[in-house]
Amino acid sequence: MPCRLAITSMSLGRGFAGHSFAHKLDMAQEYGYKGIELFYEDLFDIANLLNNKSTAENELQAAAIIRRMCEQRGLAILCLQPFSGYEGLHDRKEHMKRLKQLKFWFQLAKILGTDIVLIPSSFVPAPQITEDRGLIISDLQEVADMGLQENPPIRYVYEALCWGTRVDHWEQSWEVVQAVDRPNFGLCLDTFNIAGRIYADPASPTGKTANAEQAMKESISRLLSSVDVRKVFYVQVVDSERLDEPLVDGHKFYNAEQPCRMSWSRNCRLFYGEDERGAYLPVKEISKAIFQGLGFEGWVSLELFNRRMSDKDEDVPRELASRGAVSWAKLVHDMNLKVDRPQLQDMISASPQ
């Protein structure tokens, strides 16, 4: 099957900065995207514009509105995300609250027309989450089994965030997926989060971990020898910016309440191939492993977080959609991806030269 391009909805601009969901979808359509990862923030923003008696009613109505808007533009809804901070909580009452919330997300997903929920590895403070891998696995098995009871079944993609509390490495997320051992529970391989943990250290003057190149080479070798591509439900491809100064106390992006890599992620991600903007991660090498080594085909999403998304400049959605389209063309060329060529040419033509 050909690779298809998606983008996370908030990656085209944040609602709180005045970027309307409709305009973001218009830009996605214009620049040739075929789908979106729906960020819950966008659904919540639309729900807040409605006047039903309950928040739940508003969100269900918002889901129907979003589906209709996407269908009108020929955009699929790849997933609803992120269902975060779930697995391994010490507070089991909070655990039950999250399961109740997930059941509601099942309703949202059905209305939206998607069957995937993304679960990023938890980054709640360490005192709130167990070190017991067995409990983490059983919690994820519980939601997987709940999803299997739905008609159609709900699938999950599990993703290791490079600042996760207990799972911060792609190998750990792959071990989790194998241990959960459910047909509807798979992996999201994200080039930023893979390199962001193994290769990059934004708190270092070099921007890299010790022996970064060798560590990355060895990790890619293990990925190629161990991952079953059938369990990779989709991938995300973005890069990030090398900082001029270490991200420590006093840096403009420093946030004492966030892990360093989280602050870097929220402010500095870049699209693939944006070397002129400071991109420096080995995304090309990781992508070769995923697309050429593993032979992945399917949805490829551009999950960008960047400070530009929060600017109130009305050109933000067009700029980001265009930059993403250019990066996709580079990725298709570099990886020799199988795609719909006429659509790709339209994207290149639509992007500013």
Side-chain angles (χ1 to χ4, degrees):
M1 63 180 293
C3 288
R4 305 180 71 198
L5 177 63
I7 192 166
T8 311
S9 59
M10 54 78 207
S11 297
L12 295 173
R14 306 302 285 263
F16 62 74
H19 304 302
S20 74
F21 190 69
H23 183 49
K24 292 192 293 183
L25 292 186
D26 287 341
M27 294 300 96
Q29 179 190 30
E30 181 173 337
Y31 286 94
Y33 297 83
K34 305 311 296 179
I36 62 165
E37 293 184 78
L38 179 62
F39 207 62
Y40 176 76
E41 173 186 294
D42 281 316
L43 186 147
F44 185 77
D45 285 347
I46 291 175
N48 278 342
L49 299 175
L50 305 175
N51 296 310
N52 292 315
K53 294 181 180 178
S54 73
T55 299
E57 287 179 313
N58 286 341
E59 291 191 12
L60 293 171
Q61 185 177 346
I65 292 170
I66 289 170
R67 179 172 181 170
R68 185 164 58 250
M69 293 171 72
C70 288
E71 288 177 342
Q72 289 169 347
R73 295 164 175 83
L75 296 169
I77 299 175
L78 173 57
C79 76
L80 176 62
Q81 68 123 321
F83 189 73
S84 59
Y86 162 69
E87 73 274 25
L89 292 171
H90 285 305
D91 186 342
R92 301 316 282 177
K93 289 184 179 179
E94 182 62 26
H95 170 80
M96 296 305 297
K97 289 181 182 177
R98 299 309 312 282
L99 292 181
K100 183 177 179 181
Q101 181 187 22
L102 181 63
K103 289 288 289 185
F104 181 67
W105 273 41
F106 289 171
Q107 296 182 56
L108 294 174
K110 289 177 181 178
I111 294 172
L112 291 166
T114 185
D115 68 341
I116 297 180
V117 170
L118 182 144
I119 301 179
S121 62
S122 181
F123 54 94
V124 301
Q128 298 178 26
I129 186 172
T130 184
E131 295 184 47
D132 179 2
R133 183 60 62 90
L135 180 58
I136 290 173
I137 298 302
S138 65
D139 280 354
L140 294 170
Q141 287 174 328
E142 185 173 12
V143 295
D145 289 339
M146 288 170 58
L148 286 173
Q149 294 171 15
E150 296 296 310
N151 185 23
I154 294 291
R155 297 186 293 156
Y156 303 89
V157 286
Y158 188 64
E159 175 185 9
L161 301 181
C162 63
W163 63 92
T165 308
R166 305 297 180 211
V167 175
D168 61 358
H169 193 294
W170 76 262
E171 291 186 78
Q172 294 172 322
S173 64
W174 175 232
E175 290 168 0
V176 167
V177 168
Q178 291 176 290
V180 170
D181 192 24
R182 298 294 189 272
N184 62 330
F185 196 87
L187 192 65
C188 173
L189 291 175
D190 178 335
T191 59
F192 167 81
N193 279 307
I194 292 172
R197 179 63 182 85
I198 300 165
Y199 183 89
D201 180 0
S204 166
T206 67
K208 299 180 183 180
T209 58
N211 303 313
E213 285 77 12
Q214 184 62 27
M216 194 72 252
K217 181 179 178 180
E218 293 173 358
S219 183
I220 287 175
S221 179
R222 291 191 297 271
L223 185 148
L224 290 171
S225 65
S226 65
V227 171
D228 180 353
V229 72
R230 294 172 297 182
K231 294 296 288 184
V232 181
F233 288 178
Y234 67 87
V235 302
Q236 296 170 336
V237 178
V238 288
D239 206 313
S240 197
E241 173 184 352
R242 185 198 297 269
L243 300 175
D244 293 333
E245 299 177 356
L247 206 168
V248 295
D249 193 0
H251 193 283
K252 61 182 178 180
F253 299 144
Y254 179 78
N255 185 334
E257 298 180 356
Q258 293 181 349
C260 172
R261 284 181 170 91
M262 181 178 180
S263 300
W264 177 56
S265 169
R266 290 292 178 262
N267 286 282
C268 301
R269 293 197 197 190
L270 296 169
F271 291 110
Y272 174 83
E274 292 193 317
D275 298 353
E276 74 283 358
R277 295 178 181 268
Y280 77 107
L281 301 181
V283 174
K284 189 172 185 178
E285 291 78 5
I286 298 169
S287 297
K288 282 184 177 179
I290 293 171
F291 295 112
Q292 298 177 4
L294 295 179
F296 175 83
E297 295 180 340
W299 283 105
V300 181
S301 184
L302 311 183
E303 188 191 43
L304 184 82
F305 286 90
N306 186 281
R307 54 197 180 277
R308 181 65 171 143
M309 294 155 36
S310 300
D311 289 346
K312 295 182 179 181
D313 180 352
E314 63 181 14
D315 292 332
V316 165
R318 178 177 294 278
E319 175 198 316
L320 295 174
S322 171
R323 285 170 51 191
V326 170
S327 81
W328 175 241
K330 291 179 183 178
L331 185 70
V332 169
H333 175 269
D334 291 349
M335 301 299 126
N336 194 28
L337 298 184
K338 184 169 65 177
V339 296
D340 185 325
R341 292 287 169 177
Q343 290 178 2
L344 178 63
Q345 188 57 49
D346 290 344
M347 293 167 64
I348 296 172
S349 300
S351 298
Q353 300 300 312

